[in-house]
Amino acid sequence: MERSAPVMSLLICFFVLHSAGEVAGVLTGGSNVSRPLPVQSLCAQLIQPSGYPCSEHAVQTKDGYLLALQRVSSPTVNLGSQPGPPVLLLHGLFMAGDAWFLDNTEQSLGFILADHGFDVWVGNVRGTRWSHGHVTLSEKNKEFWDWSWQELALYDLAEMIHYIYTMTNTKTFVVGHSQGTIMALAAFTQPEIVEMVEAAALLCPISYLEHVSAQFVLRMVNMHLDQMILAMGIHQLNFRSNVGVYLLNSVCEGHFDCNDLLSSITGENCCFNNSRIDYYLGYEPHPSSSKNLHHLFQMIRAGTFAKYDYGIWRNLKHYGQVNPPRFDLNSIPKSLPIWMGYGGSDALADLTDFNHTLTELPSEPELLYLENYGHIDFLLSVNAKEDVYDNMIRFFRSRGKSSCSAGLCNI
């Protein structure tokens, strides 16, 4: 359901495929939601067992959310050596920082970057299970879920970048996938954020969603499922509860072959290892907000890259104008180096919408096009290191004072 960019990425599909008996895909909210929390931190549960040094950090956003950041380094780096340039990883919708470590150390981007000497920082946006809630609000409060990717970009990402800059005194490389690219592109229009960024690598980049072709997502949009959920008073989208099974099944209603549901959501994925689905389900999906889904569906319907649309009167109150302000991609500095990886089989980050993004950017990003890659391949392909990540790392090494001063230019 990433037609809305990241709309229901891989994992919704997984949950539907695994039937209502097993924590199958679920949309729910409210005070009775069962949300099993991890017994350990992300560092302790997933990263340190692979032999990689990892530390937990917490940052507070301006609107009171407490976010988790993990800092990961290579197990072969000398203790007294200078850290390499920092790189921040931004996950997609219904995912969290664990998404970058779900395959083995030779295939997962988080481990690969650490092995290449980067100072890896792993972002977890508000509402995900690794993050730490809010200074005053409970997750049972509807106010806790009153946000969309707009706040993820202007508050969560802004605070993560500022924290890393404060800790390292160095500009940060940013890597985003799907919703992570929406956050990045929106944030880069803000001068106070982009001045702390060295360069960006965007996987399946999204700013416009007008031409999404994912049939499952289009059906949800046409059903106005996002508006129905909000009207029902459901503020949290949590696929680890039971109401969602019913809602997702009602979307299918014989219109889709469940054995091909992943393709109907993301497009055909050439190189995804579906034998690991059960393992991935141990970590995914993470919750998001109904408002976030609604914002993404607004983008599909209106064909705009803009702030959340509250309706005429509330827009006047929030923005002082009838229509929500657009994020002006042309305001992203031409001097910011950008690399983009995109696929010919991606039904969420559509080629027409991708080209629309390119026409508005003042710079000419470095591009990697893989005709057979779908939306999930850029994150979980068994060949992603050779097909994607090696190219991205070469781009990072060729850019910015930080990488050269850390000695990475010659690695």
Side-chain angles (χ1 to χ4, degrees):
M1 320 185 170
E2 280 214 33
R3 181 245 145 112
S4 42
V7 200
M8 289 191 202
S9 139
L10 155 85
L11 301 156
I12 293 188
C13 152
F14 290 166
F15 277 88
V16 176
L17 289 176
H18 279 64
S19 85
E22 274 191 330
V23 199
V26 188
L27 286 170
T28 124
S31 59
N32 296 321
V33 171
S34 172
R35 203 157 103 83
L37 295 174
V39 295
Q40 296 176 304
S41 67
L42 176 54
C43 282
Q45 191 164 328
L46 190 60
I47 299 172
Q48 289 169 338
S50 295
Y52 286 71
C54 182
S55 58
E56 294 281 346
H57 299 254
V59 299
Q60 180 177 325
T61 66
K62 291 180 179 178
D63 54 349
Y65 289 85
L66 301 171
L67 313 177
L69 279 172
Q70 290 79 34
R71 189 178 194 180
V72 185
S73 57
S74 169
T76 61
V77 171
N78 296 327
L79 292 178
S81 64
Q82 179 77 18
V87 55
L88 172 63
L89 303 179
L90 300 173
H91 59 80
L93 181 66
F94 300 121
M95 294 185 174
D98 46 53
W100 304 103
F101 301 92
L102 290 178
D103 283 324
N104 62 44
T105 57
E106 288 75 35
Q107 294 177 325
S108 299
L109 181 59
F111 293 128
I112 292 169
L113 287 170
D115 285 339
H116 278 85
F118 289 91
D119 181 12
V120 179
W121 293 80
V122 185
N124 302 271
V125 303
R126 61 185 67 188
T128 54
R129 290 189 301 278
W130 301 116
S131 281
H132 309 299
H134 192 277
V135 292
T136 60
L137 297 173
S138 164
E139 293 182 21
K140 296 178 181 180
N141 301 135
K142 68 177 184 180
E143 292 82 7
F144 180 92
W145 301 98
D146 186 17
W147 49 264
S148 74
W149 61 259
Q150 177 177 320
E151 284 74 25
L152 302 185
L154 302 183
Y155 293 111
D156 291 24
L157 177 53
E159 200 60 50
M160 291 176 189
I161 291 176
H162 182 263
Y163 181 84
I164 296 169
Y165 186 79
T166 301
M167 292 290 290
T168 64
N169 196 32
T170 305
K171 289 185 176 183
T172 303
F173 290 103
V174 172
V175 177
H177 174 251
S178 195
Q179 177 182 259
T181 71
I182 298 177
M183 293 165 55
L185 289 169
F188 294 163
T189 65
Q190 311 300 305
E192 69 277 9
I193 299 177
V194 75
E195 67 183 9
M196 294 181 287
V197 177
E198 188 76 69
L202 307 179
L203 300 168
C204 310
I206 296 167
S207 62
Y208 292 96
L209 290 168
E210 185 178 8
H211 296 89
V212 171
S213 59
Q215 292 304 303
F216 193 84
V217 176
L218 290 176
R219 179 163 170 77
M220 290 195 299
V221 172
N222 293 333
M223 289 175 62
H224 296 275
L225 186 65
D226 52 324
Q227 294 160 315
M228 292 166 54
I229 292 168
L230 288 170
M232 294 167 61
I234 297 174
H235 302 284
Q236 176 191 169
L237 293 181
N238 184 353
F239 292 96
R240 291 182 180 267
S241 56
N242 296 319
V243 175
V245 177
Y246 173 78
L247 289 173
L248 290 176
N249 286 340
S250 71
V251 176
C252 282
E253 284 184 347
H255 292 267
F256 298 99
D257 176 0
C258 277
N259 291 322
D260 195 35
L261 185 56
L262 179 58
S263 297
S264 75
I265 295 170
T266 68
E268 294 288 343
N269 293 283
C270 68
C271 312
F272 168 67
N273 183 1
N274 59 17
S275 69
R276 290 181 60 81
I277 286 178
D278 287 340
Y279 177 77
Y280 299 147
L281 286 176
Y283 293 93
E284 314 296 347
H286 289 255
S288 189
S289 72
S290 301
K291 184 176 179 178
N292 193 24
L293 186 70
H294 186 40
H295 193 176
L296 292 166
F297 282 12
Q298 286 178 351
M299 296 166 66
I300 295 171
R301 296 181 182 115
T304 58
F305 184 43
K307 293 187 175 182
Y308 186 83
D309 190 348
Y310 290 95
I312 293 175
W313 299 111
R314 293 183 67 194
N315 284 343
L316 286 170
K317 178 181 178 181
H318 282 273
Y319 309 124
Q321 58 188 61
V322 170
N323 296 311
R326 299 192 177 201
F327 287 100
D328 181 12
L329 294 175
N330 190 57
S331 68
I332 297 176
K334 188 175 182 179
S335 58
L336 176 68
I338 299 176
W339 176 99
M340 293 178 167
Y342 64 112
S345 294
D346 193 334
L348 300 175
D350 180 83
L351 293 179
T352 301
D353 292 328
F354 174 76
N355 287 325
H356 187 178
T357 300
L358 289 181
T359 62
E360 293 195 1
L361 289 171
S363 63
E364 294 185 9
E366 184 172 322
L367 304 179
L368 174 67
Y369 174 66
L370 298 173
E371 184 174 4
N372 62 332
Y373 262 48
H375 200 73
I376 301 304
D377 288 319
F378 284 89
L379 183 67
L380 295 173
S381 165
V382 295
N383 302 317
K385 180 184 182 299
E386 296 76 18
D387 293 343
V388 182
Y389 303 153
D390 286 347
N391 189 290
M392 176 199 299
I393 291 169
R394 179 204 53 75
F395 165 78
F396 279 159
R397 287 174 177 160
S398 69
R399 303 289 174 172
K401 300 176 182 178
S402 301
S403 58
C404 293
S405 63
L408 294 182
C409 292
N410 299 318
I411 293 179

